[in-house]
Amino acid sequence: MRDTAFNLIAAGRDTVTVTLVWLLWLVASNPEVEKKILEEIKANLGGNRWRFFGVEELNKLVYLHGAVCEALRLYPPVPFEHRTAAETETLPSGHTVRKNGRVLFSIYSMGRMEEIWGGDWMVFRPERWLSPDGSKNVHIPSYKFMTFAAGPRACLGKKITFVHAKQVASAVLCNYKVEVVEGHRVSPAVSIVLFMKDGLNVRVSRRK
Ligand code: HEM
């Protein structure tokens, strides 16, 4: 029980925190996306008074969901992973992996491959995760969107990540304008968790 509780806290703390930092930076750098997120939040508030969204209500924030997915695609908190072959295996590429051989793969690179995401892979585009009429999210298989890994040992916290990230992001974005301080350069740190190298310098002001 103690180990399980520790595991859940350790696995979910830096990963979700770093997701929110990349998301806030991407949103601050894309005013059109910010506008659409705010419109969606306001449309679902049912009145002007701010309150936290419950889990069912968060499911209706499909555009914000797409924005979180895009942040996770472009800046996966766990940027690389490895798996060990139980038996000698030939991969679809033709490469042979011997029994007990280890395959290291870059989740970061997979989120940026033209073959997977198309020619506009570098664009932060929440619409990528929406049905054509924009009313619901589309399912993209874990073997394409590898941020939470795939298969039997994939992340157990995927669903709760979206609840936490959407709850905090909607509260912050609806109540505050987050602007990146001019001249602050953003780049990823070389690290097991994809932090920002120099953090994110922002100016925060209350929205009117
Ligand atoms: C953005 C957030 C998160 C990302 C990107 C993420 C990513 C991952 C990845 C890539 C793995 C596979 C690790 C491996 O195979 O070596 C994993 C495993 C795991 N994650 Fe997450 N995770 C996130 C949030 C969470 C949260 C919030 C929790 C718990 C509340 C959690 C619990 C776990 C657990 C328990 C495992 C181990 C599963 C197993 O080995 O069967 N994760 N996660």
Side-chain angles (χ1 to χ4, degrees):
M1 181 70 182
R2 187 198 59 190
D3 290 351
T4 304
F6 174 77
N7 196 12
L8 292 180
I9 294 166
R13 198 196 66 162
D14 286 351
T15 47
V16 179
T17 310
V18 96
T19 302
L20 283 163
V21 178
W22 286 112
L23 176 70
L24 289 176
W25 173 65
L26 286 163
V27 171
S29 316
N30 291 274
E32 267 308 300
V33 172
E34 181 179 37
K35 191 165 160 259
K36 288 184 192 169
I37 290 175
L38 291 175
E39 280 168 6
E40 181 180 66
I41 293 173
K42 283 196 185 122
N44 281 278
L45 264 182
N48 281 332
R49 254 180 81 91
W50 166 256
R51 62 190 165 73
F52 273 106
F53 287 109
V55 175
E56 292 299 319
E57 290 172 309
L58 286 174
N59 287 337
K60 295 186 195 151
L61 303 182
V62 291
Y63 190 82
L64 178 61
H65 190 95
V68 175
C69 289
E70 279 291 85
L72 287 164
R73 171 180 73 82
L74 287 165
Y75 297 98
V78 182
F80 55 89
E81 259 297 349
H82 64 85
R83 289 286 184 261
T84 306
E87 298 296 337
T88 297
E89 187 73 75
T90 304
L91 301 179
S93 61
H95 294 89
T96 300
V97 185
R98 294 219 183 89
K99 186 177 173 173
N100 297 328
R102 195 175 273 192
V103 179
L104 195 72
F105 52 95
S106 169
I107 298 175
Y108 181 89
S109 304
M110 283 187 72
R112 291 157 180 261
M113 280 170 71
E114 189 169 341
E115 296 93 309
I116 300 178
W117 303 102
D120 68 345
W121 61 265
M122 76 297 277
V123 183
F124 173 59
R125 191 167 67 80
E127 287 81 0
R128 210 184 291 280
W129 302 81
L130 295 178
S131 57
D133 68 355
S135 67
K136 53 179 188 252
N137 293 113
V138 289
H139 172 71
I140 298 193
S142 328
Y143 289 96
K144 286 173 81 176
F145 177 48
M146 280 290 283
T147 296
F148 295 92
R153 299 308 296 265
C155 179
L156 293 176
K158 186 172 179 179
K159 280 196 176 158
I160 193 83
T161 294
F162 282 98
V163 173
H164 286 164
K166 287 168 76 178
Q167 204 157 49
V168 176
S170 57
V172 172
L173 292 171
C174 192
N175 289 296
Y176 300 97
K177 179 145 185 70
V178 178
E179 290 163 294
V180 179
V181 170
E182 248 172 65
H184 177 70
R185 286 180 56 159
V186 167
S187 61
V190 180
S191 155
I192 291 174
V193 174
L194 199 70
F195 294 108
M196 275 183 190
K197 197 165 154 226
D198 301 310
L200 184 61
N201 279 353
V202 292
R203 201 172 296 110
V204 180
S205 51
R206 189 170 272 285
R207 277 194 202 279
K208 302 206 173 77

Short mmCIF file of all heavy atoms in Angstrom, two decimals, residues 1-48:
data_model
loop_
_atom_site.label_atom_id
_atom_site.label_comp_id
_atom_site.label_asym_id
_atom_site.label_seq_id
_atom_site.Cartn_x
_atom_site.Cartn_y
_atom_site.Cartn_z
N MET A 1 0.85 -1.21 0.00
CA MET A 1 0.00 0.00 0.00
C MET A 1 0.88 1.26 0.00
O MET A 1 0.68 2.16 -0.81
CB MET A 1 -0.88 -0.04 1.26
CG MET A 1 -1.84 1.11 1.41
SD MET A 1 -3.16 1.02 0.20
CE MET A 1 -4.03 2.48 0.60
N ARG A 2 1.92 1.27 0.90
CA ARG A 2 2.82 2.42 0.97
C ARG A 2 3.57 2.59 -0.35
O ARG A 2 3.64 3.69 -0.90
CB ARG A 2 3.81 2.19 2.12
CG ARG A 2 4.69 3.40 2.40
CD ARG A 2 5.90 3.01 3.19
NE ARG A 2 6.70 2.01 2.46
CZ ARG A 2 7.71 1.33 2.97
NH1 ARG A 2 8.03 1.48 4.23
NH2 ARG A 2 8.40 0.45 2.25
N ASP A 3 4.09 1.46 -0.89
CA ASP A 3 4.86 1.53 -2.13
C ASP A 3 3.98 1.99 -3.29
O ASP A 3 4.41 2.76 -4.16
CB ASP A 3 5.47 0.16 -2.45
CG ASP A 3 6.57 -0.20 -1.46
OD1 ASP A 3 6.95 0.70 -0.67
OD2 ASP A 3 7.02 -1.35 -1.45
N THR A 4 2.74 1.50 -3.32
CA THR A 4 1.83 1.88 -4.41
C THR A 4 1.53 3.37 -4.34
O THR A 4 1.57 4.08 -5.35
CB THR A 4 0.51 1.07 -4.31
OG1 THR A 4 0.85 -0.30 -4.31
CG2 THR A 4 -0.41 1.37 -5.48
N ALA A 5 1.27 3.86 -3.12
CA ALA A 5 0.98 5.29 -2.96
C ALA A 5 2.19 6.13 -3.39
O ALA A 5 2.05 7.11 -4.12
CB ALA A 5 0.61 5.59 -1.50
N PHE A 6 3.39 5.69 -2.99
CA PHE A 6 4.60 6.44 -3.35
C PHE A 6 4.78 6.45 -4.87
O PHE A 6 5.08 7.48 -5.48
CB PHE A 6 5.83 5.84 -2.67
CG PHE A 6 7.10 6.50 -3.13
CD1 PHE A 6 7.45 7.76 -2.65
CD2 PHE A 6 7.92 5.89 -4.07
CE1 PHE A 6 8.60 8.40 -3.10
CE2 PHE A 6 9.07 6.52 -4.53
CZ PHE A 6 9.41 7.77 -4.04
N ASN A 7 4.55 5.27 -5.48
CA ASN A 7 4.70 5.12 -6.93
C ASN A 7 3.80 6.11 -7.67
O ASN A 7 4.20 6.79 -8.60
CB ASN A 7 4.34 3.67 -7.31
CG ASN A 7 4.84 3.34 -8.70
OD1 ASN A 7 5.62 4.07 -9.27
ND2 ASN A 7 4.36 2.23 -9.24
N LEU A 8 2.54 6.19 -7.20
CA LEU A 8 1.58 7.07 -7.87
C LEU A 8 2.01 8.53 -7.76
O LEU A 8 1.91 9.30 -8.71
CB LEU A 8 0.18 6.88 -7.29
CG LEU A 8 -0.47 5.52 -7.59
CD1 LEU A 8 -1.86 5.43 -6.98
CD2 LEU A 8 -0.57 5.27 -9.10
N ILE A 9 2.53 8.90 -6.59
CA ILE A 9 2.95 10.30 -6.40
C ILE A 9 4.20 10.58 -7.24
O ILE A 9 4.28 11.56 -7.98
CB ILE A 9 3.21 10.59 -4.91
CG1 ILE A 9 1.90 10.48 -4.13
CG2 ILE A 9 3.83 11.98 -4.73
CD1 ILE A 9 2.09 10.41 -2.63
N ALA A 10 5.18 9.66 -7.16
CA ALA A 10 6.45 9.87 -7.87
C ALA A 10 6.22 9.91 -9.39
O ALA A 10 6.79 10.75 -10.09
CB ALA A 10 7.43 8.77 -7.50
N ALA A 11 5.36 9.00 -9.89
CA ALA A 11 5.15 8.93 -11.34
C ALA A 11 4.37 10.12 -11.87
O ALA A 11 4.49 10.49 -13.03
CB ALA A 11 4.41 7.63 -11.70
N GLY A 12 3.56 10.73 -11.01
CA GLY A 12 2.64 11.77 -11.49
C GLY A 12 3.04 13.19 -11.18
O GLY A 12 2.45 14.12 -11.69
N ARG A 13 4.08 13.39 -10.37
CA ARG A 13 4.37 14.76 -9.93
C ARG A 13 5.09 15.57 -11.03
O ARG A 13 4.51 16.47 -11.62
CB ARG A 13 5.23 14.74 -8.65
CG ARG A 13 5.19 16.06 -7.93
CD ARG A 13 6.29 16.16 -6.92
NE ARG A 13 7.61 16.18 -7.57
CZ ARG A 13 8.71 16.60 -6.97
NH1 ARG A 13 8.67 16.99 -5.72
NH2 ARG A 13 9.86 16.60 -7.61
N ASP A 14 6.32 15.18 -11.35
CA ASP A 14 7.08 15.97 -12.34
C ASP A 14 6.44 15.90 -13.72
O ASP A 14 6.47 16.87 -14.48
CB ASP A 14 8.51 15.44 -12.43
CG ASP A 14 9.33 15.85 -11.22
OD1 ASP A 14 8.83 16.66 -10.42
OD2 ASP A 14 10.45 15.34 -11.06
N THR A 15 5.87 14.74 -14.06
CA THR A 15 5.31 14.57 -15.41
C THR A 15 4.16 15.55 -15.66
O THR A 15 4.11 16.22 -16.69
CB THR A 15 4.83 13.12 -15.62
OG1 THR A 15 4.05 12.74 -14.49
CG2 THR A 15 5.96 12.16 -15.82
N VAL A 16 3.24 15.63 -14.70
CA VAL A 16 2.08 16.51 -14.91
C VAL A 16 2.51 17.98 -14.79
O VAL A 16 2.06 18.84 -15.56
CB VAL A 16 0.93 16.17 -13.93
CG1 VAL A 16 -0.25 17.12 -14.14
CG2 VAL A 16 0.48 14.73 -14.11
N THR A 17 3.43 18.27 -13.86
CA THR A 17 3.91 19.64 -13.70
C THR A 17 4.54 20.14 -15.01
O THR A 17 4.22 21.23 -15.49
CB THR A 17 5.00 19.70 -12.60
OG1 THR A 17 4.50 19.03 -11.46
CG2 THR A 17 5.37 21.11 -12.23
N VAL A 18 5.39 19.31 -15.56
CA VAL A 18 6.12 19.73 -16.76
C VAL A 18 5.15 19.85 -17.96
O VAL A 18 5.30 20.73 -18.81
CB VAL A 18 7.30 18.76 -16.97
CG1 VAL A 18 7.00 17.65 -17.92
CG2 VAL A 18 8.54 19.47 -17.38
N THR A 19 4.14 19.02 -17.99
CA THR A 19 3.11 19.13 -19.04
C THR A 19 2.47 20.51 -18.99
O THR A 19 2.27 21.17 -20.02
CB THR A 19 1.99 18.08 -18.82
OG1 THR A 19 2.57 16.79 -18.81
CG2 THR A 19 0.91 18.15 -19.88
N LEU A 20 2.14 20.96 -17.78
CA LEU A 20 1.47 22.26 -17.63
C LEU A 20 2.38 23.41 -18.04
O LEU A 20 1.92 24.37 -18.65
CB LEU A 20 0.99 22.43 -16.18
CG LEU A 20 -0.27 21.62 -15.86
CD1 LEU A 20 -0.45 21.48 -14.36
CD2 LEU A 20 -1.49 22.28 -16.48
N VAL A 21 3.66 23.29 -17.74
CA VAL A 21 4.59 24.37 -18.10
C VAL A 21 4.69 24.48 -19.62
O VAL A 21 4.56 25.57 -20.19
CB VAL A 21 5.99 24.14 -17.47
CG1 VAL A 21 6.96 25.24 -17.90
CG2 VAL A 21 5.89 24.11 -15.96
N TRP A 22 4.88 23.34 -20.30
CA TRP A 22 4.96 23.38 -21.77
C TRP A 22 3.64 23.87 -22.35
O TRP A 22 3.61 24.66 -23.30
CB TRP A 22 5.31 22.00 -22.35
CG TRP A 22 6.74 21.61 -22.14
CD1 TRP A 22 7.21 20.63 -21.33
CD2 TRP A 22 7.90 22.21 -22.75
NE1 TRP A 22 8.58 20.57 -21.39
CE2 TRP A 22 9.04 21.52 -22.25
CE3 TRP A 22 8.10 23.24 -23.66
CZ2 TRP A 22 10.34 21.84 -22.65
CZ3 TRP A 22 9.39 23.56 -24.05
CH2 TRP A 22 10.49 22.86 -23.55
N LEU A 23 2.53 23.43 -21.79
CA LEU A 23 1.21 23.86 -22.30
C LEU A 23 1.06 25.37 -22.17
O LEU A 23 0.64 26.04 -23.12
CB LEU A 23 0.10 23.12 -21.53
CG LEU A 23 -1.32 23.55 -21.91
CD1 LEU A 23 -1.68 23.08 -23.31
CD2 LEU A 23 -2.34 23.00 -20.92
N LEU A 24 1.39 25.92 -21.00
CA LEU A 24 1.22 27.37 -20.80
C LEU A 24 2.10 28.16 -21.76
O LEU A 24 1.68 29.19 -22.30
CB LEU A 24 1.55 27.76 -19.34
CG LEU A 24 0.52 27.30 -18.30
CD1 LEU A 24 0.98 27.65 -16.90
CD2 LEU A 24 -0.86 27.92 -18.58
N TRP A 25 3.30 27.65 -22.01
CA TRP A 25 4.17 28.34 -22.96
C TRP A 25 3.60 28.28 -24.39
O TRP A 25 3.55 29.28 -25.10
CB TRP A 25 5.58 27.72 -22.93
CG TRP A 25 6.48 28.26 -24.00
CD1 TRP A 25 6.92 29.55 -24.11
CD2 TRP A 25 6.99 27.54 -25.12
NE1 TRP A 25 7.71 29.67 -25.23
CE2 TRP A 25 7.76 28.46 -25.86
CE3 TRP A 25 6.89 26.21 -25.55
CZ2 TRP A 25 8.42 28.08 -27.03
CZ3 TRP A 25 7.55 25.84 -26.71
CH2 TRP A 25 8.32 26.76 -27.43
N LEU A 26 3.14 27.08 -24.78
CA LEU A 26 2.58 26.94 -26.13
C LEU A 26 1.34 27.81 -26.31
O LEU A 26 1.16 28.45 -27.34
CB LEU A 26 2.23 25.46 -26.40
CG LEU A 26 3.44 24.55 -26.65
CD1 LEU A 26 3.05 23.08 -26.49
CD2 LEU A 26 4.01 24.78 -28.04
N VAL A 27 0.50 27.86 -25.29
CA VAL A 27 -0.73 28.66 -25.38
C VAL A 27 -0.36 30.15 -25.44
O VAL A 27 -0.90 30.91 -26.24
CB VAL A 27 -1.68 28.35 -24.19
CG1 VAL A 27 -2.83 29.33 -24.15
CG2 VAL A 27 -2.21 26.91 -24.30
N ALA A 28 0.59 30.56 -24.57
CA ALA A 28 1.00 31.98 -24.57
C ALA A 28 1.61 32.37 -25.92
O ALA A 28 1.51 33.52 -26.34
CB ALA A 28 2.01 32.22 -23.45
N SER A 29 2.20 31.41 -26.62
CA SER A 29 2.85 31.71 -27.90
C SER A 29 1.88 31.59 -29.08
O SER A 29 2.25 31.86 -30.22
CB SER A 29 4.02 30.75 -28.16
OG SER A 29 4.78 30.58 -27.02
N ASN A 30 0.65 31.14 -28.82
CA ASN A 30 -0.34 30.95 -29.89
C ASN A 30 -1.67 31.59 -29.49
O ASN A 30 -2.59 30.89 -29.04
CB ASN A 30 -0.54 29.44 -30.16
CG ASN A 30 0.67 28.80 -30.80
OD1 ASN A 30 0.83 28.81 -32.01
ND2 ASN A 30 1.57 28.28 -29.97
N PRO A 31 -1.79 32.92 -29.67
CA PRO A 31 -2.99 33.63 -29.20
C PRO A 31 -4.30 33.09 -29.77
O PRO A 31 -5.33 33.13 -29.10
CB PRO A 31 -2.74 35.07 -29.67
CG PRO A 31 -1.30 35.16 -29.97
CD PRO A 31 -0.79 33.80 -30.26
N GLU A 32 -4.27 32.58 -31.02
CA GLU A 32 -5.51 32.04 -31.61
C GLU A 32 -6.01 30.84 -30.82
O GLU A 32 -7.21 30.65 -30.59
CB GLU A 32 -5.24 31.61 -33.06
CG GLU A 32 -5.53 32.66 -34.09
CD GLU A 32 -6.92 33.25 -33.95
OE1 GLU A 32 -7.88 32.48 -34.05
OE2 GLU A 32 -7.05 34.48 -33.72
N VAL A 33 -5.05 29.99 -30.39
CA VAL A 33 -5.41 28.81 -29.60
C VAL A 33 -5.93 29.25 -28.24
O VAL A 33 -6.95 28.76 -27.74
CB VAL A 33 -4.18 27.88 -29.44
CG1 VAL A 33 -4.47 26.75 -28.45
CG2 VAL A 33 -3.75 27.30 -30.78
N GLU A 34 -5.25 30.23 -27.65
CA GLU A 34 -5.67 30.74 -26.33
C GLU A 34 -7.12 31.24 -26.40
O GLU A 34 -7.94 30.93 -25.53
CB GLU A 34 -4.74 31.89 -25.92
CG GLU A 34 -5.07 32.46 -24.56
CD GLU A 34 -4.12 33.59 -24.16
OE1 GLU A 34 -3.71 34.37 -25.05
OE2 GLU A 34 -3.80 33.67 -22.98
N LYS A 35 -7.43 31.98 -27.48
CA LYS A 35 -8.78 32.54 -27.65
C LYS A 35 -9.81 31.40 -27.68
O LYS A 35 -10.85 31.46 -27.02
CB LYS A 35 -8.80 33.33 -28.96
CG LYS A 35 -10.00 34.18 -29.17
CD LYS A 35 -9.72 35.19 -30.29
CE LYS A 35 -11.04 35.71 -30.83
NZ LYS A 35 -11.48 35.12 -32.07
N LYS A 36 -9.51 30.36 -28.45
CA LYS A 36 -10.46 29.25 -28.58
C LYS A 36 -10.63 28.50 -27.26
O LYS A 36 -11.72 28.05 -26.92
CB LYS A 36 -10.00 28.28 -29.68
CG LYS A 36 -10.17 28.88 -31.07
CD LYS A 36 -9.79 27.86 -32.12
CE LYS A 36 -9.68 28.51 -33.48
NZ LYS A 36 -9.07 27.65 -34.48
N ILE A 37 -9.53 28.35 -26.51
CA ILE A 37 -9.63 27.66 -25.21
C ILE A 37 -10.55 28.47 -24.28
O ILE A 37 -11.44 27.92 -23.62
CB ILE A 37 -8.23 27.49 -24.57
CG1 ILE A 37 -7.41 26.47 -25.34
CG2 ILE A 37 -8.35 27.06 -23.10
CD1 ILE A 37 -5.97 26.31 -24.87
N LEU A 38 -10.36 29.79 -24.27
CA LEU A 38 -11.16 30.64 -23.38
C LEU A 38 -12.63 30.62 -23.80
O LEU A 38 -13.53 30.57 -22.94
CB LEU A 38 -10.63 32.07 -23.38
CG LEU A 38 -9.26 32.24 -22.71
CD1 LEU A 38 -8.76 33.66 -22.86
CD2 LEU A 38 -9.32 31.86 -21.24
N GLU A 39 -12.87 30.62 -25.11
CA GLU A 39 -14.27 30.57 -25.59
C GLU A 39 -14.94 29.28 -25.13
O GLU A 39 -16.08 29.27 -24.68
CB GLU A 39 -14.31 30.66 -27.12
CG GLU A 39 -14.15 32.08 -27.63
CD GLU A 39 -13.89 32.15 -29.13
OE1 GLU A 39 -13.93 31.09 -29.82
OE2 GLU A 39 -13.60 33.26 -29.59
N GLU A 40 -14.18 28.18 -25.24
CA GLU A 40 -14.75 26.89 -24.84
C GLU A 40 -15.03 26.86 -23.33
O GLU A 40 -16.08 26.39 -22.90
CB GLU A 40 -13.79 25.77 -25.22
CG GLU A 40 -14.33 24.39 -24.87
CD GLU A 40 -13.37 23.28 -25.24
OE1 GLU A 40 -12.27 23.20 -24.65
OE2 GLU A 40 -13.72 22.47 -26.11
N ILE A 41 -14.11 27.38 -22.55
CA ILE A 41 -14.31 27.38 -21.09
C ILE A 41 -15.55 28.21 -20.75
O ILE A 41 -16.43 27.76 -20.01
CB ILE A 41 -13.06 27.94 -20.36
CG1 ILE A 41 -11.88 26.99 -20.53
CG2 ILE A 41 -13.35 28.14 -18.87
CD1 ILE A 41 -10.54 27.52 -19.99
N LYS A 42 -15.64 29.40 -21.35
CA LYS A 42 -16.78 30.30 -21.04
C LYS A 42 -18.09 29.64 -21.44
O LYS A 42 -19.08 29.70 -20.70
CB LYS A 42 -16.60 31.64 -21.73
CG LYS A 42 -15.57 32.46 -20.98
CD LYS A 42 -15.57 33.93 -21.31
CE LYS A 42 -14.41 34.58 -20.56
NZ LYS A 42 -13.46 35.24 -21.42
N ALA A 43 -18.10 28.99 -22.61
CA ALA A 43 -19.33 28.35 -23.08
C ALA A 43 -19.78 27.24 -22.13
O ALA A 43 -20.97 26.92 -22.04
CB ALA A 43 -19.12 27.79 -24.48
N ASN A 44 -18.84 26.65 -21.43
CA ASN A 44 -19.18 25.52 -20.55
C ASN A 44 -19.34 25.93 -19.09
O ASN A 44 -19.74 25.09 -18.27
CB ASN A 44 -18.12 24.43 -20.66
CG ASN A 44 -18.32 23.60 -21.91
OD1 ASN A 44 -19.13 22.70 -21.95
ND2 ASN A 44 -17.61 23.95 -22.97
N LEU A 45 -19.04 27.20 -18.78
CA LEU A 45 -19.17 27.62 -17.38
C LEU A 45 -20.63 27.75 -16.95
O LEU A 45 -20.96 27.51 -15.78
CB LEU A 45 -18.47 28.97 -17.17
CG LEU A 45 -17.03 28.96 -16.65
CD1 LEU A 45 -16.53 30.37 -16.47
CD2 LEU A 45 -16.91 28.21 -15.33
N GLY A 46 -21.49 28.13 -17.91
CA GLY A 46 -22.91 28.29 -17.57
C GLY A 46 -23.08 29.45 -16.59
O GLY A 46 -23.56 29.26 -15.48
N GLY A 47 -22.67 30.64 -16.97
CA GLY A 47 -22.69 31.80 -16.07
C GLY A 47 -21.29 32.33 -15.97
O GLY A 47 -20.35 31.63 -16.36
N ASN A 48 -21.13 33.54 -15.50
CA ASN A 48 -19.80 34.15 -15.52
C ASN A 48 -18.95 33.83 -14.31
O ASN A 48 -17.76 34.02 -14.33
CB ASN A 48 -19.92 35.67 -15.69
CG ASN A 48 -20.19 36.00 -17.15
OD1 ASN A 48 -19.79 35.24 -18.04
ND2 ASN A 48 -20.90 37.07 -17.39
#
